[in-house]
């Protein structure tokens, strides 16, 4: 049966480095719910950071692992706060399970704002390495198509991470 809005998981999606993990942690604390970060779980399983996982087992295996974790977590939980990696919605199966089990929130940010944060994350994101600024910008816009529409989005330009969490809580009437 259809779960009430307040009983569903909250899944955060959006481009690399928008703050899915930090905002998710704030949400979990404010709502007193369990927080799960999918990338952190995969890193824990392999005992190495994502960049290293891409190098040693390859992106394909990472994507398979990402799908397995998300399908598992989403199918047997309610109430949780779940942060996905920014590439997760490239896989239709992931998108479908998230949309059917959870409140999916797309954290939307402008290219201008995002660009200013790039230096903070570039070394830890294999997808961004060896790319020109134009290529990164193109990726930014292509990825947006995988996130929207179908679900709620919160624009986080100019918001702090905690404020962003408050906006999400408000937008879900929680
Ligand atoms: C990726 C995003 C990363 C991580 C991996 C691939 C992507 O997660 O899953 O580096 O393809 O967009 P964040 O969105 O948390 O950076």
């Amino acid at each position: 049966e259809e779960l009430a809005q307040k009983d569903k998981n909250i899944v955060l999606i959006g481009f690399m480095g928008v703050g899915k993990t930090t905002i998710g942690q704030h949400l979990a604390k404010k709502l007193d719910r369990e927080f799960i970060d999918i990338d952190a779980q995969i890193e824990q399983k392999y005992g190495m950071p994502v960049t290293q996982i891409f190098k040693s087992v390859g992106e394909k295996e990472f994507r398979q692992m990402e799908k397995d974790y998300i399908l598992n977590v989403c199918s047997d939980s309610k109430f949780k706060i779940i942060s996905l990696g920014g590439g997760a919605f490239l896989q239709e199966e992931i998108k479908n399970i998230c949309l059917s089990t959870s409140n999916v929130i797309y954290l939307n940010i402008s290219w201008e704002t995002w660009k200013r944060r790039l230096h903070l994350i570039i070394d830890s994101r294999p997808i961004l390495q060896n790319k020109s600024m134009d290529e990164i910008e193109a990726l930014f816009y292509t990825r947006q198509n995988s996130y929207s529409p179908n679900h709620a989005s919160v624009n986080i330009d100019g918001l702090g991470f905690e404020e962003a969490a408050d906006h999400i809580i408000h937008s879900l009437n929680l």
Side-chain angles (χ1 to χ4, degrees):
E1 78 280 33
E2 183 75 7
L3 288 169
Q5 193 86 333
K6 65 173 181 44
D7 295 337
K8 288 185 178 180
N9 303 312
I10 298 173
V11 164
L12 300 181
I13 188 74
F15 202 57
M16 284 167 268
V18 294
K20 297 181 292 291
T21 299
T22 312
I23 294 168
Q25 285 165 340
H26 281 294
L27 273 177
K29 199 165 171 207
K30 285 170 187 280
L31 296 170
D32 194 24
R33 297 201 197 181
E34 189 184 333
F35 174 66
I36 296 178
D37 182 89
I38 300 294
D39 280 340
Q41 290 206 337
I42 299 172
E43 289 181 325
Q44 209 169 19
K45 178 189 162 68
Y46 285 95
M48 52 178 109
V50 170
T51 311
Q52 207 52 47
I53 298 173
F54 268 57
K55 280 191 189 131
S56 56
V57 303
E59 178 172 355
K60 198 169 168 220
E61 184 169 323
F62 173 83
R63 295 298 178 195
Q64 180 63 48
M65 213 44 71
E66 182 175 42
K67 187 167 82 181
D68 292 349
Y69 271 92
I70 296 170
L71 263 49
N72 273 323
V73 167
C74 284
S75 53
D76 66 24
S77 56
K78 298 178 190 176
F79 305 116
K80 291 191 177 130
I81 311 295
I82 306 165
S83 288
L84 307 186
F89 271 26
L90 295 174
Q91 303 191 67
E92 284 302 314
E93 253 181 289
I94 294 182
K95 200 188 239 189
N96 292 339
I97 190 115
C98 289
L99 288 169
S100 63
T101 60
S102 311
N103 290 297
V104 176
I105 306 283
Y106 163 41
L107 300 179
N108 186 9
I109 194 172
S110 70
W111 166 247
E112 292 305 319
T113 307
W114 186 84
K115 215 167 42 172
R116 278 185 252 122
R117 290 205 198 145
L118 172 60
H119 69 282
L120 298 170
I121 62 160
I122 190 152
D123 292 337
S124 56
R125 302 305 197 281
I127 299 286
L128 298 177
Q129 280 149 34
N130 307 311
K131 281 196 172 65
S132 69
M133 210 52 183
D134 283 350
E135 287 169 325
I136 293 176
E137 184 174 5
L139 182 68
F140 180 89
Y141 288 108
T142 336
R143 284 294 176 79
Q144 316 263 315
N145 301 330
S146 75
Y147 307 139
S148 49
N150 288 337
H151 40 84
S153 88
V154 171
N155 187 286
I156 59 169
D157 275 318
L159 297 184
F161 292 137
E162 191 177 352
E163 265 179 302
D166 290 332
H167 277 241
I168 293 167
I169 290 170
H170 183 77
S171 76
L172 290 171
N173 287 316
L174 293 175

